[in-house]
């Protein structure tokens, strides 16, 4: 059992290494428990064979070892990629260890199992991190020490009574010292070179010179990331603060590609690049959030057909990559003044929210005093800059803590406007990783807040059509947030998204134009929502940025690319506590939902399961019928399985055949309601039953054979009854004394005893 424990611990560590990164460890542990249970079952079955192991043992072990490699070959033929080869080798070694553990009924097999499990846990523990793996290694060390002590104790030969001394294991001792010496020499002579050679052994390990789409180590996530040393504009990300000489597109360029140039561009202010002691080189012009003029025009020329989101190069295919839950709105600029045609960007806030530096596995910055009571929890993201040129920090709204590479100075950041951070005097370098934790709004808690403030000074009044729509949508709203929801829901039902249907160049009231046509790009939806909210007495603003779409998620790289065509405009409304709440008036876009509680998750899964069941009534009825039949015939099914096992093992000596047959008969008697107590012998229990219930002479003959098998000396001849050999008699009894006959015999016995 100690050997099985070693194999089980090594298997659990291997399942943790094979599991998908980020998946809960409980699934891997349950899988390891299943493998271990199967191994124990096979070991228990094979332990009944007192002779040598089966001839097919070596063939079965070879097949188990080759199965994962064969599956990789099949996957290579089917999809063109074999998958991570190091994981396939780990699975092969795991199968070998479990196979050896199942057949560990001899000393040589036991030693092979322990040695293979040691290699398995050493290899698998290098691929996993966390307290569970450390605990598994510690448990393996304890169990391994116990295994060594048991092997040493058995090697003393104190139990079998033999007085001859054991032979000194010279060859194993010399081999062990040689292996230790070779390992020490490798560490002393060239640890770096050896480590590099092992790291680049396979392409799927991440490699040093190779790359593979399924890589889980090395540089990171696949063929593009290994090119980061030569082409930082690809998706190779590193925690680096080195500035690159690049012509990456700014968000202004992305908006122009998506919506076209503004009809009447305003005067643009020149921005001067600021030098910094901590950067290697910075030659590019710091780009502003949207455009250097700090305005967003709601009257545009429209994009040329076929030019939206068309990347020039493969590495410029995405502005950034998001690792974490989606959909996600990433605000980069906010606008709070509107003249009916153009929005003006919001200025720096009058009162600054303080940033506090924290140390937790790197420099993190906490937004001081941000604990809105409307948040239902926090969500973590990693945002990796690829082709975006912006000084604004690409982070979700309601930011709580963040980290930008190894930057540990507060003066690197400043507030561009209320709620939006930027890097002071510089753009964010390509390949930078921004880690964030932000709050998620609880929609139910918003009904208890006050949102109304006052009308914004200088706002143009709504036109006749827009005012009529606003009145019809908000009629009957009881609280502030219900009125906000009415405006947003009305726009989502009313309008049709059409990026080519823009306002005329001479339009001076884009809100009234949209209210009359009900068609336009997303910025007209957001402009109309913000204008209606401000006309209703709410403090609202326009926000532009990027939108991470859930349908773009790539399960192979576990990232969501955000491309040029994912630039987006939405609105925000301010609550009485100063928090800005995002609203999404454009159809086809969704806000992130709060993380579900355990009870809500169980309820949603139960509802989904009920819906799936209701969609397949025929399958449900058939399954229920099979379950009822299985419940009704459970004893017959158990007897059929036991009979098949008996037939498969009907070979060997006569003693073994007789004892197996007697065990089958006792199982049938137990299923039939007449189990033999543990204190009663076979003759004492079945003898009175045979006499009182007319069991017949054949069972009496089996009892005689069973007594011969248990008590007769070796070499004695088995008794023959009616000229039948023990094997033939056992077959006759199994055919005659079925489960149904035992059940009827029990009834007759009860009636006779009564």
């Amino acid at each position: 059992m100690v050997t099985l424990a070693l194999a089980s611990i090594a298997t659990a560590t291997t399942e943790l290494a094979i599991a998908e990164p980020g998946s809960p460890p409980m699934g891997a542990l349950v899988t390891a428990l299943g493998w271990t249970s199967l191994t124990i079952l096979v070991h228990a079955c094979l332990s009944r064979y007192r002779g040598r192991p089966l001839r097919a043992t070596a063939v079965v072990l070879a097949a188990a070892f080759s199965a994962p490699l064969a599956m990789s070959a099949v996957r290579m033929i089917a999809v063109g990629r074999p998958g991570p080869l190091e994981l396939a080798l780990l699975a092969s070694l795991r199968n070998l260890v479990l196979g050896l553990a199942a057949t560990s009924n001899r000393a040589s097999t036991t030693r092979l199992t322990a040695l293979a499990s040691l290699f398995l846990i050493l290899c698998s523990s290098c691929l996993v991190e966390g307290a569970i793996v450390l605990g598994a290694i510690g448990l393996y060390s304890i169990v391994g020490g116990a295994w060594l002590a048991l092997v040493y104790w058995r090697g003393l030969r104190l139990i079998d009574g033999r007085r001859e001394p054991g032979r000194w294991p010279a060859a194993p001792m010399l081999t062990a010292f040689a292996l230790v010496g070779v390992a020490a020499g490798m560490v002393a002579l060239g640890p770096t070179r050896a480590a590099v050679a092992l790291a680049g052994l396979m392409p799927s390990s991440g490699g040093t010179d190779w790359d593979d789409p399924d890589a889980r180590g090395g540089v990171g996530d696949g063929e593009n990331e290994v090119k980061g040393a030569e082409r930082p504009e690809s998706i190779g990300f590193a925690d680096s603060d080195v500035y690159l000489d690049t012509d990456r597109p700014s968000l202004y360029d992305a908006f122009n590609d998506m919506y076209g140039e503004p009809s009447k561009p305003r005067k643009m202010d020149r921005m001067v690049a600021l030098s910094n002691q901590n950067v290697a080189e910075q030659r590019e012009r710091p780009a502003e959030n949207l455009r250097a003029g700090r305005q967003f025009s709601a009257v545009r020329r429209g994009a040329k057909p076929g030019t939206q989101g068309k990347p020039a190069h493969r590495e410029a295919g995405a502005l950034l990559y998001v690792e974490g839950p989606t959909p996600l709105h990433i605000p980069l600029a906010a606008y709070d003044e509107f003249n009916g045609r153009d929005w003006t960007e919001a200025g720096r806030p009058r009162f600054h929210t303080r940033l506090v530096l924290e140390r937790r596995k790197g420099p993190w910055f906490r937004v001081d005093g941000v604990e809105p009571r409307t948040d239902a929890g926090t969500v973590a993201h990693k945002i990796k800059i690829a082709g975006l040129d912006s000084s604004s920090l690409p982070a979700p709204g309601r930011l709580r803590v963040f980290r930008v590479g190894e930057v540990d100075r507060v003066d690197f950041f400043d507030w561009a406007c209320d709620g939006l951070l930027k890097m002071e005097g510089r753009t964010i370098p390509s390949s930078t990783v921004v880690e964030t934790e932000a709050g998620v709004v609880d929609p139910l808690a918003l009904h208890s807040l006050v949102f109304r403030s006052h009308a914004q000074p200088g706002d143009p009044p709504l036109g006749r059509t827009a005012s009529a729509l606003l009145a019809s949508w908000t009629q009957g709203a009881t609280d502030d947030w219900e009125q906000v929801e009415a405006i947003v829901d009305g726009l989502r039902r009313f309008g049709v998204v059409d990026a080519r249907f823009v306002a005329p160049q001479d339009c001076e009231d884009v809100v009234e134009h949209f209210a009359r046509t009900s068609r336009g790009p997303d910025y007209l939806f957001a402009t109309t929502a913000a204008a209606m909210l401000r006309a209703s007495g709410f403090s609202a603003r326009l926000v532009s940025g990027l939108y991470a779409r859930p349908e773009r998620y790539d399960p192979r790289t576990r990232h969501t690319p955000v491309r040029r065509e994912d630039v987006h405009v939405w609105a925000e409304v301010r609550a009485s506590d100063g928090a800005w709440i995002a609203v999404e008036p454009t159809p086809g876009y969704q806000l992130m939902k709060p993380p579900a509680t355990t009870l809500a998750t169980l309820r949603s899964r139960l509802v989904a399961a009920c819906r799936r069941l209701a969609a397949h009534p025929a399958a449900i009825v058939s399954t229920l019928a099979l379950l009822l039949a299985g419940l009704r015939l459970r004893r017959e099914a158990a007897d059929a399985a036991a009979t098949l096992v008996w037939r498969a093992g009907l070979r060997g000596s006569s003693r073994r055949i007789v004892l197996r047959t007697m065990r089958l008969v006792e199982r049938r008697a137990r299923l039939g309601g007449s189990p033999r107590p543990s204190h009663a012998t076979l003759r004492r229990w079945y003898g009175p039953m045979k006499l009182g219930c007319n069991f017949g002479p054949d069972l009496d003959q089996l009892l005689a054979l069973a007594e011969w098998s248990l008590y007769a000396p070796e070499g004695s001849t088995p008794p023959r009854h009616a000229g039948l050999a023990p094997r033939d008699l056992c077959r006759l009894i199994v055919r005659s004394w079925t489960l149904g006959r035992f059940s009827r015999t029990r009834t007759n016995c009860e009636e006779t005893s009564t």
Side-chain angles (χ1 to χ4, degrees):
M1 293 304 294
V2 180
T3 306
L4 288 174
L6 290 176
S8 303
I9 299 171
T11 301
T13 310
T14 304
E15 291 299 329
L16 291 172
I18 295 177
E20 186 71 17
S23 60
M26 186 55 63
L29 295 179
V30 170
T31 304
L33 180 61
W35 282 110
T36 304
S37 302
L38 180 61
T39 303
I40 294 175
L41 179 62
V42 175
H43 178 75
C45 295
L46 294 180
S47 297
R48 298 179 180 180
Y49 293 94
R50 299 184 179 181
R52 295 183 177 181
L54 299 177
R55 298 178 180 178
T57 301
V59 178
V60 173
L61 290 178
F65 180 82
S66 305
L69 299 177
M71 292 178 63
S72 297
V74 171
R75 187 174 184 269
M76 180 67 183
I77 297 173
V79 299
R81 298 198 311 269
L85 297 180
E86 69 275 9
L87 299 187
L89 287 176
L90 275 181
S92 298
L93 187 57
R94 175 204 62 198
N95 293 352
L96 179 62
V97 170
L98 293 176
L100 290 173
T103 59
S104 59
N105 51 0
R106 302 179 63 185
S108 58
T109 313
T110 302
R111 296 189 184 96
L112 284 176
T113 305
L115 181 61
S117 67
L118 177 61
F119 278 102
L120 182 61
I121 196 170
L122 287 177
C123 296
S124 58
S125 60
C126 297
L127 303 178
V128 195
E129 297 179 354
I132 297 180
V133 179
L134 295 179
I137 295 175
L139 183 61
Y140 185 89
S141 302
I142 296 174
V143 178
W147 184 87
L148 290 174
L150 288 175
V151 170
Y152 173 74
W153 185 262
R154 291 173 182 173
L156 295 178
R157 305 181 184 276
L158 298 178
I159 299 178
D160 55 6
R162 292 185 294 178
R163 300 300 180 181
E164 54 189 44
R167 185 169 58 89
W168 184 68
M173 293 290 291
L174 293 177
T175 303
F177 279 111
L179 291 176
V180 173
V182 170
M186 290 177 61
V187 173
L189 296 177
T192 303
R193 180 171 298 179
V196 169
L198 292 176
L201 182 61
M202 298 179 185
S204 56
S205 66
T208 54
D209 299 320
W210 299 351
D211 62 274
D212 189 271
D214 296 318
R216 303 193 351 158
V219 182
D221 290 316
E223 59 181 355
N224 290 331
E225 293 202 271
V226 297
K227 302 173 184 176
E230 298 179 359
R231 300 298 298 271
E233 296 83 0
S234 70
I235 62 170
F237 301 104
D239 292 334
S240 173
D241 298 322
V242 178
Y243 279 64
L244 305 168
D245 185 11
T246 177
D247 54 355
R248 294 177 292 138
S250 66
L251 191 63
Y252 174 61
D253 301 324
F255 267 99
N256 289 343
D257 291 341
M258 187 70 178
Y259 306 123
E261 294 284 346
S263 295
K264 294 182 179 180
R266 297 290 192 257
K267 181 180 178 181
M268 300 176 63
D269 299 330
R270 290 180 60 88
M271 303 300 297
V272 181
L274 302 179
S275 60
N276 185 10
Q277 301 286 339
N278 298 327
V279 298
E281 184 178 8
Q282 180 180 356
R283 298 178 182 177
E284 77 275 15
R285 172 180 57 86
E288 277 302 319
N289 300 329
L290 182 62
R291 55 172 301 175
R294 298 182 183 275
Q295 287 187 344
F296 178 83
S297 177
V299 180
R300 292 178 173 266
R301 300 176 182 177
K304 297 180 180 180
T307 60
Q308 297 180 12
K310 183 178 180 181
H313 304 285
R314 180 179 183 180
E315 62 270 13
L319 301 177
L320 49 85
Y321 292 80
V322 175
E323 180 181 343
T326 54
L328 180 65
H329 288 69
I330 304 176
L332 296 176
Y335 310 88
D336 59 357
E337 294 184 11
F338 182 57
N339 61 6
R341 179 186 176 94
D342 299 321
W343 285 92
T344 302
E345 188 176 11
R348 298 176 63 182
R350 182 178 303 176
F351 301 101
H352 293 272
T353 305
R354 191 166 62 99
L355 298 179
V356 179
L357 178 63
E358 296 180 347
R359 292 287 182 179
R360 47 173 185 172
K361 294 184 179 180
W364 286 77
F365 296 93
R366 175 173 53 85
V367 181
D368 194 22
V370 177
E371 287 293 337
R373 58 190 179 92
T374 57
D375 285 356
T378 59
V379 61
H381 289 90
K382 284 186 178 181
I383 301 175
K384 306 179 179 181
I385 311 299
L388 179 65
D389 190 12
S390 174
S391 61
S392 294
L393 188 69
R398 310 177 72 81
L399 189 63
R400 292 192 179 183
V401 293
F402 67 94
R403 176 189 177 188
V404 181
E406 296 299 323
V407 177
D408 58 356
R409 290 172 51 181
V410 177
D411 58 354
F412 264 52
F413 306 97
D414 194 8
W415 293 99
C417 62
D418 190 10
L420 299 183
L421 279 169
K422 68 175 183 178
M423 294 196 77
E424 182 65 26
R426 57 183 62 84
T427 57
I428 302 178
S430 175
S431 306
T432 300
V433 179
V434 180
E435 302 179 56
T436 65
E437 291 182 10
V440 183
V441 177
D442 183 6
L444 299 178
L446 296 176
H447 291 277
S448 61
L449 296 182
V450 177
F451 286 89
R452 292 181 182 272
S453 57
H454 54 79
Q456 301 295 325
D459 284 356
L462 294 179
R464 180 181 303 177
T465 307
S467 299
L469 289 175
L470 176 60
S472 63
W473 291 340
T474 57
Q475 184 179 5
T478 56
D479 56 53
D480 289 354
W481 182 248
E482 189 172 346
Q483 186 171 358
V484 174
E485 286 184 322
I487 296 173
V488 174
D489 294 341
L491 283 170
R492 293 179 69 90
R493 296 191 308 268
F494 169 77
V496 177
V497 180
D498 189 349
R500 294 174 295 180
F501 197 85
V502 298
Q505 297 186 13
D506 57 351
C507 180
E508 296 297 333
D509 190 350
V510 295
V511 176
E512 182 66 14
H513 169 78
F514 179 77
R516 292 177 179 177
T517 60
S518 71
R519 303 178 69 88
D522 56 355
Y523 61 82
L524 291 183
F525 281 84
T527 297
T528 304
M532 287 184 173
L533 288 170
R534 291 156 76 102
S536 302
F538 297 98
S539 179
R541 65 182 184 180
L542 191 78
V543 180
S544 64
L546 300 171
Y547 179 74
R549 302 175 181 270
E551 58 269 20
R552 292 194 187 277
Y553 175 74
D554 186 356
R556 183 172 62 87
T557 61
R558 298 178 296 279
H559 289 106
T560 301
V562 180
R563 307 184 185 279
R564 293 192 180 192
E565 57 267 30
D566 294 326
V567 293
H568 184 47
V569 181
W570 62 96
E572 288 183 347
V573 60
R574 188 172 187 174
S576 56
D577 60 354
W580 287 97
I581 311 297
V583 294
E584 184 50 81
T586 307
Y589 295 85
Q590 300 293 334
L591 294 172
M592 180 177 293
K593 296 181 180 180
T597 61
T598 303
L599 183 61
T601 302
L602 292 177
R603 183 169 59 250
S604 63
R605 291 183 178 178
L606 181 61
V607 171
C610 292
R611 290 177 179 174
R612 286 195 295 268
L613 293 178
H616 303 84
I620 299 305
V621 172
S622 302
T623 304
L624 290 177
L626 290 176
L627 289 177
L628 292 176
L631 183 62
R632 173 65 180 83
L633 303 175
R634 61 187 184 280
R635 295 188 303 171
E636 287 77 3
D639 177 63
T643 305
L644 287 177
V645 174
W646 173 82
R647 293 185 185 278
L650 197 61
R651 58 181 178 272
S653 63
S654 298
R655 291 177 184 270
R656 181 174 173 274
I657 294 174
V658 171
L659 293 178
R660 288 179 62 87
T661 305
M662 197 65 217
R663 280 196 294 268
L664 178 61
V665 169
E666 289 206 278
R667 178 183 291 272
R668 289 181 174 178
R670 184 167 58 253
L671 293 174
S674 301
R676 180 176 64 89
S678 58
H679 61 273
T681 62
L682 297 175
R683 179 70 63 176
R684 175 169 295 184
W685 180 253
Y686 292 108
M689 294 178 63
K690 172 181 71 64
L691 296 176
C693 303
N694 192 20
F695 259 57
D698 48 2
L699 186 59
D700 186 53
Q701 296 167 3
L702 178 63
L703 293 176
L705 280 175
E707 292 173 348
W708 168 81
S709 301
L710 292 172
Y711 309 120
E714 292 288 342
S716 61
T717 304
R720 301 176 66 89
H721 298 275
L724 295 177
R727 185 193 304 269
D728 299 331
L729 180 62
C730 291
R731 289 175 176 171
L732 176 63
I733 292 173
V734 170
R735 287 195 300 266
S736 302
W737 289 97
T738 61
L739 177 61
R741 190 173 182 183
F742 271 105
S743 300
R744 292 192 300 270
T745 303
R746 181 195 63 177
T747 305
N748 296 335
C749 290
E750 292 176 353
E751 294 177 354
T752 303
S753 61
T754 303

